[in-house]
Amino acid sequence: RDSNRHVKVKQKSAVLNMLKKLDKIRFRGHKRDEFLDLAESPNASDTECGDEIPVKIPRTSTRDNEELRDPAGPGTIVMASGVQDFNRTESDRLNEIKGHLEIALLEKHFLQEELRKLREETNAETLRQELEKERQRRLELEQKVNEVLKARAEEVPAAQQPAKQQTQANGTDKRSHTVCSKIQKWFCDKFGEYVEDFRFQPEENTVETEEPLSARRLTENMRRLKRGAKPVTNFVKNLSALSDWYSIYTSAIAFIIYMNAVWHGWAIPMFLFLAILRLSLNYLIARGWRIQWSIVPEVSEPMEPPKEDLTVSEKFQLVLDVAQKAQNLFGKMADILEKIKNLFMWVQPEITQKLYITLWAAFIASCFLPYRIIGLAMGLYAGIKFFLIDFIFKRCPRLRAKYDTPYIIWTSLPTDPQLKERSNATVSRRLQTAASRSYVGSSAPTGISKDEDTSRFHTTKRGNFHEVFNLSENERPLAVCENGWRCCLINRDRKMPTDYIRNGVLYVTENYLCFESSKSGSSKRNKVIKLTDITDIQKYKVLSVLPGSGMGIAVSTPSTQKPLVFGAMVHRDEAFETIFNQYVKITSVSTSSES
């Protein structure tokens, strides 16, 4: 029995040695007491631990370990430890080993988190870039130091040889040499600074952050633009007032002074003196003087205080106003740029030819005539044109339309949209002529008018116009709405969503109002309204919350309880005028025929 105990004690001592090795592998960094027990660990799962709580193993000293290894040692301690180890079950040992492994996994997880944090804190890429920059700077500094040392090494022998030859002459030469060396050193330092200033560096591309859309910011920017453009607009108004002889005495004095300055060759000094005078007046105005030097009296516009809180409709109306102003401004600028481009690109050859001949004449005159005569002629022509000819042309529009060459050239220059419309009209005219010729050549019935012939070839996206709406062949869209107006038909008598709103195109013929649905190819979803059946037509606003007069047209007929609404029309006013005029025309003709 003692031998069996001895064997069991040895097995238990081997298990303890294995646990010690695991303990050493696990607890190299921190102590075991610094970690939570397995039962207290928040990451311990139910499948791993179960309901059993691992028993803490008390620490054994080296002396106890030696006594356990040698069973012949002190008997009482070995026997007590052996009995204690013997009482342990296999499940306790497995739970203990499992606890060690789970704690090791927790420590591994904690170490990985620490490593990740350290990597995020120490950005290796930025450190590498800064190190590369510092290395380049160090190389440049070394090159500069080497260049300075070489320059000084070349100066020292050259300075020593004359010094040895002149030591016996007198001391004044030494002083002059030292002065020259100082001057050279100063020159080298200054030259080096300038060379450093001219050193090329890569341009930094800075991305400007765009501000979000804000009604208050939009209003402020519009007011800033208006205030910034006010001096330019005032200057243009004063020039137009001089040309229009708004003040007879002021315009007469300005004309006499200008013509006298041009005749004596003082035009450029006169303009420079006027610029200096304007800056002087601006300085006095900035100092608090009240000086008003303007031909046209300035009208002070009342400044509206900015509202702090705007409603949704006010914000929407503000955005619409600003968008309209920006649209008109950009449209004018685009017209000017496109006209200049078309003038130089020979879009209108007869207009560009005049400019071409004028440039050749100016070139030949500049080659043979002295500049004084050319400047005198140009100055006299500009003065007479500005003060006299423009005044007469503005008062006599017919005379201007016949004889004002710059005005005629500028007004006759086309823009790109005008060129596109002309080309489309030309192509459609050619197609109509070709179709009419082919139709005349074929076997067609006689007695067909020209309008009926051209109406046969007007088609929509789904086929011929009269076939889509089941109308007679002489019914075709008016010239204003050949392509139709995009809109949506709202039939408030219907309750189904598919029949309540339909998207499509609206056409107006001589006798009918036709709506072509875009979702179905059949003619059942299309709508045809006879103009004489319309009882009322008016502009309509679908959503009362939105500002403005709306984007819809309401048409009332006897067959509908509620008016039909054609909404979401961009060109609502144009469509309303066309429908209303045709409606008035048809009703007046019908009433006159009945009477």
Side-chain angles (χ1 to χ4, degrees), residues 486-512:
R486 298 289 303 177
C487 64
C488 63
L489 174 60
I490 303 174
N491 191 353
R492 292 184 292 178
D493 292 339
R494 303 293 181 89
K495 296 183 180 181
M496 294 297 293
T498 55
D499 297 333
Y500 185 78
I501 297 177
R502 301 177 192 172
N503 294 321
V505 184
L506 181 65
Y507 298 95
V508 181
T509 66
E510 294 182 357
N511 300 308
Y512 294 94

Side-chain angles (χ1 to χ4, degrees), residues 180-196:
C180 292
S181 63
K182 290 180 179 179
I183 293 172
Q184 289 179 357
K185 185 178 179 182
W186 176 82
F187 182 75
C188 290
D189 294 338
K190 290 294 181 182
F191 185 72
E193 291 179 0
Y194 288 119
V195 169
E196 184 67 21

